[in-house]
Amino acid sequence: MESILVLAHTATSNDSSAGNGATLTKASLEAVTAGQQLAAQLSATLTIAVLGANAAAEAGTLGATGARLLALSGEAFSEARYATDAAAAEALCRTAQASIVLAPFSSRFARIAAGVAHRLGGFVDTHITAFSGTEAIEATRWFYRQRVEAVVSRDARPWFLLLDAGTQKPYSLVQGSGTVEEIALEAPATRTTVAGLRAPSQGAQTIRPDAKMLFVAGAGWTKKQADGQIHSAEAGDLILGFLHATNASLGSSKSLTDQGSDGLPVLPFLSHMNQIGQTGATPRHARGLSTCCHGEEPHVVGWRFIGDRRAISLDPNCGWTRGKADVVYIADAFQVISKVNSLLDPAKK
Ligand SMILES: Cc1cc2nc3c(=O)[nH]c(=O)nc-3n(C[C@H](O)[C@H](O)[C@H](O)COP(=O)(O)OP(=O)(O)OC[C@H]3O[C@@H](n4cnc5c(N)ncnc54)[C@H](O)[C@@H]3O)c2cc1C
């Protein structure tokens, strides 16, 4: 019989996905949901292990799951670092003795999962989006920029499965606390000392995987407008104003991010990291709003997991209007976003 371990972690001080530096990340709570479902599906036992700052208290909040709860905390394990995280995850896995290990595909766990699986003589698969099967585990994942969907099963154990964020409903914490087994571990010798963190401030960080909405900027923002002029500074202010008011994540078309290298006007807060599409990202926000973007297939393919799709374009014949968006506003995005920003920020009315 399979036994399942959900490996979760608390947020580091650099992590924006949790409210403060020591609560369970949203992606970890999604892994808890997946663990519960898989355990029920396979009639398997469930253990949930938390590592990081405040791990014992956070594991205690999962009492209502009925799972065995493990925690490993301590100063050395509060910030992400390969040596300490890998040692902690290994200790938790050895204590749980699980055949299946589910973990969020966070940067913290993506870095250590292969190493920990190797130490345990196991196998790891990443980008898992769903599970099926009642006898054996069948894990679904995408390959080749989400073009090919595969169902994977393996005999190797322990089998580590890293779950893509946004694919499961996060576990809702229920009042009450559970009994937590605290695992003590002496921190391994490290060559890396975390001296501090230098990261873009919350306002400057425009890629927000946990945001409810994706806002996409297309090349039209830096094209000549009706008055024959380019208004890229105004475009930048409007886009940042919208992001500030809504906390949306910022995506871009390839044409817009490519412009810098072509010597054309650029929006300084955009990079190739923002690009959505065939050669960019495929995010999973509940809603998306595209602005000044033509909606060509290589771009729209990156929207396949976006729930509600809307677009603002001047072109009534653009790709969005040909069935790729749920709602298309044929309008000037400068005017629309300016009006929306003023409605969102009463001070600017
Ligand atoms: C192999 C390959 C891979 C590719 N991969 C990607 C990818 O990953 N992601 C990607 O995005 N593209 C990708 N592309 C490029 C893609 O085909 C398009 O060229 C690109 O998406 C076009 O970007 P755009 O719509 O922003 O620009 P444009 O095509 O220039 O469209 C600008 C739009 O803005 C509108 N507009 C202008 N001013 C306003 C205004 N004031 N208000 C409202 N609308 C306005 C115009 O009407 C126009 O529709 C790829 C292409 C190839 C060949």
Side-chain angles (χ1 to χ4, degrees):
M1 192 174 93
E2 302 284 10
S3 54
I4 296 167
L5 168 67
V6 172
L7 205 50
H9 65 83
T10 58
T12 64
S13 52
N14 190 34
D15 199 329
S16 62
S17 65
N20 64 46
T23 52
L24 282 165
T25 60
K26 180 166 166 268
S28 289
L29 293 172
E30 289 185 26
V32 170
T33 303
Q36 282 184 305
Q37 286 171 356
L38 195 59
Q41 203 173 305
L42 301 169
S43 306
T45 57
L46 179 64
T47 302
I48 304 173
V50 180
L51 81 85
N54 211 22
E58 288 300 313
T61 63
L62 300 169
T65 59
R68 179 186 179 195
L69 302 173
L70 307 176
L72 198 155
S73 47
E75 184 57 32
F77 306 104
S78 55
E79 297 296 339
R81 174 175 42 197
Y82 185 89
T84 43
D85 278 351
E90 181 188 351
L92 289 166
C93 290
R94 290 199 188 282
T95 305
Q97 289 290 314
S99 55
I100 302 293
V101 181
L102 303 183
F105 196 17
S106 58
S107 62
R108 191 167 188 180
F109 278 172
R111 185 161 48 172
I112 61 162
V116 176
H118 180 72
R119 289 181 195 185
L120 285 136
F123 207 97
V124 64
D125 278 290
T126 57
H127 287 297
I128 304 301
T129 56
F131 294 104
S132 54
T134 47
E135 300 295 312
I137 299 173
E138 293 169 359
T140 302
R141 65 154 296 173
W142 294 84
F143 287 97
Y144 193 40
R145 290 270 171 208
Q146 334 298 347
R147 284 203 193 92
V148 181
E149 189 181 24
V151 177
V152 187
S153 58
R154 291 191 190 282
D155 294 330
R157 297 290 183 273
W159 188 13
F160 285 65
L161 294 142
L162 296 193
L163 301 161
D164 265 0
T167 56
Q168 317 288 325
K169 200 164 169 256
Y171 173 75
S172 309
L173 294 171
V174 187
Q175 283 242 315
S177 58
T179 309
V180 178
E181 296 168 50
E182 290 198 57
I183 309 300
L185 179 70
E186 197 175 319
T190 52
R191 286 182 300 175
T192 312
T193 309
V194 180
L197 287 161
R198 285 170 59 186
S201 70
Q202 187 65 13
Q205 176 58 268
T206 58
I207 300 171
R208 299 168 182 153
D210 289 333
K212 290 200 176 104
M213 183 171 37
L214 170 73
F215 178 91
V216 159
W221 282 108
T222 54
K223 293 260 166 72
K224 279 186 185 165
Q225 295 299 307
D227 60 1
Q229 304 297 315
I230 288 169
H231 298 274
S232 50
E234 188 191 341
D237 288 345
L238 286 171
I239 293 166
L240 288 180
F242 184 86
L243 296 181
H244 182 69
T246 59
N247 261 331
S249 188
L250 178 63
S252 170
S253 70
K254 187 174 189 317
S255 294
L256 186 57
T257 52
D258 279 352
Q259 285 186 178
S261 41
D262 294 339
L264 295 166
V266 289
L267 298 174
F269 44 85
L270 271 173
S271 78
H272 284 280
M273 297 295 286
N274 295 90
Q275 187 185 312
I276 308 295
Q278 180 183 333
T279 45
T282 314
R284 291 175 181 269
H285 303 278
R287 293 169 166 211
L289 177 63
S290 157
T291 54
C292 296
C293 168
H294 190 76
E296 273 184 36
E297 188 55 28
H299 175 76
V300 178
V301 74
W303 284 62
R304 65 188 306 164
F305 300 124
I306 303 291
D308 181 86
R309 307 168 177 198
R310 300 192 177 204
I312 306 170
S313 174
L314 280 177
D315 181 1
N317 201 28
C318 71
W320 296 113
T321 58
R322 296 191 213 159
K324 288 178 183 163
D326 300 300
V327 179
V328 184
Y329 306 95
I330 305 302
D332 184 330
F334 281 82
Q335 289 175 12
V336 176
I337 298 302
S338 170
K339 179 70 182 169
V340 169
N341 284 356
S342 70
L343 292 170
L344 289 169
D345 182 358
K348 285 191 185 158
K349 265 187 194 168

